[in-house]
Amino acid sequence: NTMNTHEGLLLPGWHHVERYNGNSMRWSKGESSFLISDNSVKKISFSIYNPKKFNISMNIYSSDYSAEFNIGKTGDWKHYSYDVPPLSGNIIVRFSSSNIWKPLKDIRRISFAISDIRYTTEEEVIINLDKDFRQNLSSDKNLIHYYYLHSHRL
């Protein structure tokens, strides 16, 4: 089972990466998304930490598929895995939280944290939480164009 990285990309809505015990995670700003660009995506998985137990929903969009899932109000880290019909091209996974909060001594407004984002085609691919759309804006003009075309879904 070979592993890849950098096949997916975090879109707007996430705070900077944080590391705890060797694991990378990012806090959501409340509305947040990631993009998968690949062929024959069959499964999407990730772990969520939702200490305030906000209600979280998730949408998966592609050119010919749209589905909504209720992640619910879990508290501690929980792993989620979703089987999808084989999806190809650009796939957007979008999260929406019922609320945000401002932790003590923190300027950020946060909702839930995400970690260990993966998807499966013929192999399992890990999305690198260290990178996000900002690194791609100057180098990938097609990605900018894609944002403008699909910004209503982000």
Side-chain angles (χ1 to χ4, degrees):
N1 192 12
T2 56
M3 302 296 247
N4 279 334
T5 54
H6 318 302
E7 301 289 335
L9 186 66
L10 294 174
L11 296 177
W14 304 102
H15 288 289
H16 289 291
V17 69
E18 298 177 33
R19 283 180 187 75
Y20 295 101
N21 302 327
N23 295 318
S24 296
M25 57 162 268
R26 285 194 185 222
W27 285 100
S28 169
K29 297 177 180 178
E31 304 276 331
S32 44
S33 308
F34 62 86
L35 172 72
I36 296 170
S37 293
D38 212 326
N39 294 312
S40 300
V41 174
K42 302 177 185 106
K43 186 196 291 187
I44 298 169
S45 66
F46 46 83
S47 294
I48 295 281
Y49 174 57
N50 184 11
K52 295 292 184 184
K53 298 190 173 162
F54 296 143
N55 196 42
I56 301 169
S57 63
M58 178 192 69
N59 291 79
I60 299 174
Y61 303 104
S62 74
S63 60
D64 54 358
Y65 177 82
S66 176
E68 182 169 357
F69 302 91
N70 184 27
I71 290 177
K73 303 179 177 183
T74 60
D76 209 357
W77 282 105
K78 185 176 175 193
H79 184 74
Y80 295 87
S81 183
Y82 296 92
D83 292 314
V84 293
L87 302 176
S88 294
N90 289 315
I91 303 151
I92 293 176
V93 180
R94 181 177 180 273
F95 297 90
S96 184
S97 172
S98 62
N99 214 333
I100 55 173
W101 60 292
K102 185 181 172 303
L104 209 59
K105 299 182 181 172
D106 195 331
I107 60 166
R108 301 174 302 170
R109 302 206 178 276
I110 63 177
S111 174
F112 64 92
I114 196 164
S115 180
D116 197 29
I117 306 172
R118 300 167 184 246
Y119 66 89
T120 306
T121 57
E122 297 304 314
E123 58 187 17
E124 190 172 46
V125 179
I126 301 173
I127 295 181
N128 184 356
L129 290 181
D130 291 331
K131 293 196 166 189
D132 62 30
F133 70 100
R134 287 178 282 255
Q135 282 95 339
N136 281 61
L137 288 181
S138 58
S139 62
D140 191 343
K141 300 291 187 247
N142 290 332
L143 189 60
I144 297 173
H145 184 64
Y146 185 77
Y147 280 147
Y148 285 119
L149 289 179
H150 295 77
S151 59
H152 64 284
R153 288 185 164 175
L154 300 183

